Amino acid sequence: MPLRSVRIPRIPRTPHSPRGPRRAAAPGRAARLGVAALAACALLATAACSGTTREDGESDRDAGAGASSTATADPNAPLAEDLAVAFLPKQVNNPYFTVADEGGHAAVEEFGGEYKEVGPSEASASSQVSYLNTLAQQHTDVIVTSANDPNAVCGALNSARSAGARVVTFDSDASPECRDLFVNQATAEDIARTQIELIAEEIGGSGQIAILSATPNATNQNAWIELMQQELEKPEYAGIELVTVAYGNDEDEKSFQETQGLLSSYPDLAGIISPTTVGLAAAARYLSGSEYGGRVALTGLGTPDQMREFVHDGTVAQFALWDPADLGYLAAYAGAALASGQITGAEGETFTAGELGEYTIGADGEIVLGPPTIFTADNIDDYAF
Amino acid sequence: MAHDTLYASRPRRARRARRAAGPGPLRPLLRWDGAVGLALLLVALGAALLVDGFATAGNVRFLLLDAVAVALVALPMTLVVVTGEIDLSVASALGLCSAVMGRLWVAGLPLELIVVLAVALGAVLGAVNGLFVTAFALPSLAVTIGTLAAYRGLAFVVLGDDAVADFPFEWTDAVAGTLPGGAVPWAMLLTALLAVAFGVLLHGTPFGRGLYAMGNNAEAAAFAGIRVARAKFWLFVASGATSGLAGVFWTLRYASARADNGQGLELSVVAAVLLGGVSIFGGRGTLPGVFFGVLLLATLRNALQLADVPADTLDIVTGSLLIASVVVPNAIARARARPATGRAAPAGEPTAPPRQERPEREDTEDAPA
Amino acid sequence: MTAADAHSSPASPDARAAQNASPSPAPPASGAPPAGGRAPGPSGGRRGAARLGAARETGVLLALLLLVAGTTLANSRFLSAQSVKDILLGAAVMVVLAAGQTLVVVTRNIDLSVGSVLGLAAFATGKLFVAQPGAPLPLALLVGLALGAACGLLNGALIAAARVPALVITLGTLYVFRGLDHSWASGEQINAADMPHGFLDFGTATVLGVPVLALIAAAVLLAVGVFLGSYRTGRELYAIGSEPTAARLSGIRVGRRVFLAFVISGALAGLAGVLHAARFGTVDATVGTGMELQVVAAVVVGGVAIFGGSGTAYGAALGALLLTTIGSALTVLRVDPFWQQAVDGGLILAAICLDRVLALRGTRRARAKEAPHGA
C-alpha cells in the first residue's frame, strides 16, 4: 500500500510546565563550566529565565511509542511468505556483521522471504538514520538492526514502525521503546561471568588484571565491564585486582599501543581481558611478537578465525564468543514471527527459530541466544567464522 | 590556499576575467552553477520516474533533513573558499559544540541558553581559526587541519564516554518537523533563508565583491583598500558559528549529543562546495551553485540508497563527482581554448596555469583591480 | 623559509595575511617588488633554508628527547628494550608514509589519499596470501609497491594532466580508493591464520634488537632523504615548491616532477600497507582509515612547510616518531586517552606557528643582509 506521507510517531507528552525559581542559579553553573564569559548578555539572561531544563522533561522520558502492542498473538499462525527483511548492521563490510547477516540471510531463505543487507560504510548513528528512513520508504516488513547509538536511531525506528515495519535489534540494542524485540547474544551477566571465570583460571586465581575495551562510547562493552567489576567483588575473586580499563577504540594501532602501555605501566600484570574482537586479536598479535607472550594471560571475546593462529601458538589458551551467524538467524526468525502475528513481543510468548529450536521472550522484549561458547585449542578447529 | 601559485598567473587571469564579463544572467545554463542546477533537476526527475518511493513527501523530507547540516556549513564555507582560504575544522567544531551542549544539558542549564551558548562557542572556535590565519598569517589549510584534530579531541575530553540523549521531545520533534505538506522541513526553510542572506552578502554587497577580489589577488585587494585580514577573520567566525548552529541541529535531530557527531562531514561540505563551482584557488564561485551542489549530492545519495546501491559505491560516486567537478570544466575549457589561441598547452609542461583559458566559469567581473 | 621569505615587501598585517593566502608569483617581468632572500637557484638561499631546517629538526629532536626523558622518569619501563622496540615498530609504517608525503608537500601539494592506498595495498597483500599461500615475501612487497604506484599514478595524472589542485583530487581519490577497497573486501577479513608464518614473523622479527620493519622504514627514509637532498630531481622538487613560476621559467619540468612525487608517494603508501599487514596480521577494508591526517600532522610537525619548498624527509620522520612516542607516552602515563587527539591537534598548531616565527626571523636576517643593495 503506497503511503502518501509518513506520520511522526505519536508520543504522549506532558504539557510545558511553568518555570520554577531554581533556574536563577543556572548561569552560575555555566561559569563553573568555563563558558561564563559568553553568558553575560541580556539575551541570554532572558533565555535563562524561561528555559527548558533537563528536570522538566523527566516525566516524558519513559513514555513508550507503543506503535504495536495492542494486537494479540496467535502462536499457531504460519510464517508469512514474501516478507521483505532488511538487515541494517552498525556498519557494512564489518566481518562480524557480515557473518551475522549471512546467518540472517539463511533464515530468510528458509522461510521464503526477501533478504537484503544495507548500511553505512562507517559506524555512525546519523547514517544509520538515513538508511532507516530509506527502509521505511521501501515499506520493509522487518528491519533487523544493530544500533550505533541507542537513542539517535530512536526517532527513525519509530517512524519506520509507524510505516508498518517490525523492528528487531540484535547485538546492540536501541532504547526499548523504539523497537519490538531485542535479540541478545547472551545475557550481559553470562558474558561478564564467563570472561572473569576464564581469566581467573588462566592466572591461577590471583593477580592484577586489566581490561582492553573498544571505544569509550561502546554501550555493550561498558555494560559488561560494569558487571565484571561486580563479579570481581565476589569472595572467590578476592585475590584479583582490576587495575584499569584501557580503550583501544577498536583500532589495531591503538589497541597495540594500549596493550603495550598496560604492560609497561603495570609490571606485575598477570592477565588482560579484551571484550572486543578487534582488541583481542590485536592484543594477541602484540603478545605473540613480544617478550610478554606466554607470561601474561589473555582472554576475552574473539572470533575463532581471528584467534586460531594465537590459540595454536599458545598466546591465548581460551576465549569466548557466541556464533554471530546464529545471532542473525535467530533475529531473522524473531522478526518473521512478529510480522506473521505469532508473537507480539510480550514477555512469555514463544516461537520457533528454525533449526535453533524454541525461544521465549523475556522481560523488555528481550530474547537471549544462549550462553557463550568457549573456544580452546581442542575445539577451535571445529568452527569457521 | 597554499597550493595555488603552482598554477596561477594572476595578472593575466584578471585581464581575462574582465574580458569575460558578459551578460552573465542571460546565459545561466552555460555557467557552472546553472549546469549544477540543471543536473539537480535531471537527477531529481530521473529518480522520481525510476526509483520507487523517491517522490513521496516523506522521502523528500528525509532527504532535505539529511542535507541541512551540510547546507548550513557550506554557506560560510563558500565565502571562505572564495577568498582562497579553507576551513577543514567545521565538522570537529560541530562535534565539540554538540558535546558541550550535552554536558551543559546534563549540568541542568536551560536548553534555550545552551543553544545560544553552543552557537557562541562555535563562533569562538571560528575566531581561533581566524586569528591563526590572519594575525599569525598561517596557511588556513594547515591551521584547520590542526584544529580539526584539536576540536575533535576536545569534544572527547568534554563528553568522553557519554551520549546525552534525554533532550525534550518538544525540541527534537520540532527540529525534524515540516511545513504544511510534510515535505519541507522548516529547518531547511531556515537554511534556505540563511542561504539567501549569505547570497546577498556575497553577490550584492561591496564586501562580497571584495571577497572575490582578495581571492583573485589578495595583495592587490589589500592595496585597493580592502581590509583582507578583517574580512577573513569574520568569515572564519561565521563559519564557526554556523558549525555551532549545525551542531545544535545535529544534536536535536538525532536526539543525541556525542563527541563523534558529524565526523567526516568536512569532506561532504568541501565536496559540495567544489561541486557547486567554487574554485579551490579562490576568486570564483556562486552561492546558488553551492546550494544546488549540496542538494545534488543529497539527492543522488538518497536516490541511490533507495535503489539499494551499496554504501561503498556511494563513496566511489561521491569521490568521482568531486574529481569530475574540477577536472571536466578544465578539460572542456582547454579543448575550447585550443583553436582560439591557436596553440595547445606545451606538451612537456602539464601544469600550466589552469584558468587562463576558461573564461566561461569566471564570476570575477566586478573584481576591483 | 616558507612563504614569508618569498616576499620582501614590508607588510601590514593585512597584506601579510594576503600573501599568506596567495603568495604572489611575482614573475621577474611583472614589475612586482623583487623577491629577496631566496630563489631556487642561489645557493645562499638554500644554505639559509638548510640552516633553518636543521634548527627546526633539532627542535623536534629536542622535544622527542624531553618527552622520552620525562616519561621515563615517571615510568622507568618506558625505555626498556621491549618498549623501544614497540615504538620503533609503531613508527615504522608512519615513517614510510611521512617520507612519501614529504616529497609531495615540498612541491606545495598534498596527498590525502595515502590512508586509502595503504588500506587497499594491505588488503591486496592479504588476498595474495589467501590465493597463493606460498608467495614469497619480496613478491608481496612488490605487489604493494606496484598497487600503490598505480594509485599514485592516477593521482599524479589527474593533477598534472587536468591541472587541478592536489587537495581536491586526492580528497576525491580518498573516497574512491576506499570505496574500491570496501567493495573488493565486501566484509571479508583476512586473519593471521590465513597468512604464512614467514610473513607474520617478518612483522615481528628483529635484527640485533631492531625490528626489521623499522630497518625497512629507515632504508626508505634514507633513500628519500638522499634523493631530496643530493639529486638534481630532488632539488627541483624544492624549487617547484618555493616558487612554481620561477621553477617553470628556469626550465624545470614542473608537471613531470610533481607527477613523479605523487607516484613515489603512492608507491610508499602501498609499501606501508604491506608492512601494516605484516605487523598486525589482521586485515579488513577499514585499515588505514583516517591515517592521512596523522601523516600530514607528522610531516608538518617535522618541519616540512605546508607551503612547500622546505623541510626534509628526516624531519618528517622525526615528526612521525614524535607523534608515535606521544601516543605511547600518554598510554604509559595513563593519561585519559581522550586527550590524545587534542594533543595531536595542538602540536600541529604549535609546529606551524614555530615555522612562521622561524621563517620571519630568517626573512629579517636575509633582509638585513641585503639592505645595502636590496629593495
Side-chain angles (χ1 to χ4, degrees), chain B residues 87-110:
Chain B
D87 184 355
L88 294 178
S89 72
V90 284
S92 299
L94 185 159
L96 180 50
C97 290
S98 175
V100 167
M101 210 176 148
R103 179 56 73 216
L104 294 179
W105 174 247
V106 170
L109 258 65

Side-chain angles (χ1 to χ4, degrees), chain A:
Chain A
M1 181 192 70
L3 223 82
R4 282 287 159 259
S5 67
V6 171
R7 199 161 42 85
I8 307 171
R10 300 242 53 87
I11 293 150
R13 47 180 80 134
T14 52
H16 215 57
S17 57
R19 311 282 82 77
R22 178 182 46 77
R23 209 142 294 106
R29 288 192 207 152
R32 280 208 305 279
L33 285 153
V35 282
L38 300 161
C41 74
L43 175 62
L44 304 198
T46 329
C49 289
S50 61
T52 317
T53 63
R54 197 163 185 238
E55 286 78 9
D56 295 349
E58 252 154 35
S59 52
D60 292 359
R61 296 309 312 175
D62 33 33
S68 65
S69 45
T70 45
T72 50
D74 172 12
N76 300 318
L79 280 184
E81 284 187 11
D82 298 331
L83 286 175
V85 182
F87 271 70
L88 172 58
K90 283 186 173 177
Q91 178 183 21
V92 289
N93 299 336
N94 172 322
Y96 171 84
F97 284 110
T98 308
V99 175
D101 293 356
E102 273 316 302
H105 192 177
V108 175
E109 303 239 299
E110 276 176 31
F111 58 72
E114 198 185 311
Y115 163 89
K116 79 172 163 194
E117 185 203 28
V118 296
S121 50
E122 79 289 344
S124 85
S126 51
S127 19
Q128 265 189 325
V129 167
S130 164
Y131 277 93
L132 282 170
N133 293 337
T134 305
L135 291 175
Q137 288 302 309
Q138 293 171 329
H139 311 301
T140 310
D141 298 307
V142 178
I143 298 175
V144 183
T145 187
S146 176
N148 279 319
D149 178 311
N151 298 291
V153 292
C154 229
L157 284 179
N158 275 333
S159 26
R161 286 166 80 197
S162 45
R166 298 315 196 105
V167 173
V168 179
T169 54
F170 74 111
D171 182 74
S172 290
D173 200 4
S175 297
E177 70 267 17
C178 36
R179 47 85 175 152
D180 296 296
L181 287 175
F182 169 47
V183 178
N184 201 343
Q185 47 270 41
T187 60
E189 290 79 9
D190 268 347
I191 294 171
R193 188 177 332 111
T194 307
Q195 292 183 76
I196 295 293
E197 274 168 17
L198 290 179
I199 199 74
E201 201 181 316
E202 296 286 308
I203 63 174
S206 72
Q208 288 186 341
I209 61 163
I211 293 176
L212 175 68
S213 184
T215 60
N217 279 335
T219 334
N220 278 344
Q221 271 78 8
N222 287 346
W224 299 331
I225 290 169
E226 209 180 306
L227 288 164
M228 282 194 248
Q229 285 164 338
Q230 286 174 21
E231 187 74 15
L232 284 172
E233 282 164 19
K234 290 186 178 167
E236 63 258 44
Y237 298 127
I240 300 181
E241 183 200 354
L242 173 63
V243 288
T244 190
V245 179
Y247 297 97
N249 284 353
D250 268 355
E251 286 166 21
D252 293 321
E253 176 68 39
K254 194 87 182 85
S255 303
F256 257 53
Q257 276 188 354
E258 291 292 335
T259 313
Q260 171 195 325
L262 286 176
L263 294 167
S264 0
S265 310
Y266 302 99
D268 300 325
L269 200 67
I272 297 175
I273 301 176
S274 185
T276 159
T277 55
V278 177
L280 184 63
R285 173 83 180 129
Y286 174 78
L287 287 181
S288 78
S290 80
E291 60 177 54
Y292 303 103
R295 275 171 40 199
V296 176
L298 175 67
T299 190
L301 303 178
T303 67
D305 276 353
Q306 262 185 317
M307 300 304 295
R308 200 177 315 278
E309 177 74 19
F310 309 113
V311 168
H312 287 316
D313 77 7
T315 309
V316 175
Q318 45 187 356
F319 64 96
L321 196 71
W322 48 91
D323 187 339
D326 282 352
L327 188 66
Y329 186 89
L330 175 57
Y333 264 102
L338 261 178
S340 315
Q342 284 182 1
I343 51 176
T344 62
E347 190 173 350
E349 291 172 350
T350 61
F351 68 99
T352 306
E355 58 193 32
L356 287 179
E358 198 175 81
Y359 280 86
T360 308
I361 300 174
D364 274 341
E366 200 173 303
I367 304 166
V368 178
L369 177 65
T373 311
I374 291 165
F375 303 98
T376 63
D378 298 330
N379 72 353
I380 192 167
D381 289 329
D382 303 338
Y383 296 89
F385 63 83

Side-chain angles (χ1 to χ4, degrees), chain B residues 79-80 83 134 207 210-211 214 226-238, chain C residues 14:
Chain B
L79 275 59
V80 169
T83 66
T134 57
F207 176 81
L211 299 185
M214 64 183 87
I226 298 169
R227 305 173 94 161
V228 174
R230 204 160 84 164
K232 284 185 178 172
F233 175 80
W234 285 110
L235 286 185
F236 276 101
V237 172
Chain C
D14 275 12

Side-chain angles (χ1 to χ4, degrees), chain B residues 72-345:
Chain B
L72 270 177
V73 179
L75 300 178
M77 182 75 90
T78 306
L79 275 59
V80 169
V81 177
V82 160
T83 66
E85 304 288 344
I86 196 161
D87 184 355
L88 294 178
S89 72
V90 284
S92 299
L94 185 159
L96 180 50
C97 290
S98 175
V100 167
M101 210 176 148
R103 179 56 73 216
L104 294 179
W105 174 247
V106 170
L109 258 65
L111 201 46
E112 291 82 351
L113 175 65
I114 295 175
V115 168
V116 179
L117 286 177
V119 176
L121 172 65
V124 170
L125 297 178
V128 171
N129 283 332
L131 210 65
F132 273 115
V133 172
T134 57
F136 304 153
L138 293 169
S140 55
L141 174 69
V143 167
T144 56
I145 282 184
T147 50
L148 181 158
Y151 293 166
R152 184 66 70 186
L154 286 177
F156 277 102
V157 171
V158 168
L159 203 55
D161 302 79
D162 300 327
V164 177
D166 53 355
F167 295 99
F169 287 121
E170 292 87 346
W171 285 65
T172 55
D173 281 359
V175 157
T178 60
L179 300 173
V184 181
W186 67 259
M188 187 40 102
L189 183 73
L190 282 189
T191 309
L193 290 178
L194 212 56
V196 171
F198 271 100
V200 168
L201 181 68
L202 180 62
H203 300 296
T205 66
F207 176 81
R209 284 192 288 276
L211 299 185
Y212 285 111
M214 64 183 87
N216 276 309
N217 189 336
E219 223 167 328
F223 282 125
I226 298 169
R227 305 173 94 161
V228 174
R230 204 160 84 164
K232 284 185 178 172
F233 175 80
W234 285 110
L235 286 185
F236 276 101
V237 172
S239 175
T242 323
S243 303
L245 189 63
V248 169
F249 169 78
W250 194 286
T251 308
L252 294 175
R253 156 93 172 98
Y254 298 110
S256 188
R258 299 168 62 110
D260 62 357
N261 271 351
Q263 197 139 28
L265 196 77
E266 68 277 352
L267 296 188
S268 314
V269 173
V270 171
V273 167
L274 296 179
L275 182 63
V278 179
S279 162
I280 193 80
F281 302 116
R284 207 190 55 225
T286 69
L287 208 98
V290 170
F291 205 71
F292 293 148
V294 171
L295 291 180
L296 177 61
L297 276 180
T299 309
L300 258 180
R301 215 154 235 282
N302 175 282
L304 293 178
Q305 217 165 285
L306 267 175
D308 287 335
V309 173
D312 20 298
T313 316
L314 291 183
D315 287 347
I316 298 178
V317 169
T318 310
S320 308
L321 260 181
L322 176 56
I323 295 173
S325 69
V326 288
V327 170
V328 171
N330 266 11
I332 295 175
R334 269 193 292 150
R336 271 197 206 144
R338 216 158 277 176
T341 53
R343 143 183 182 280

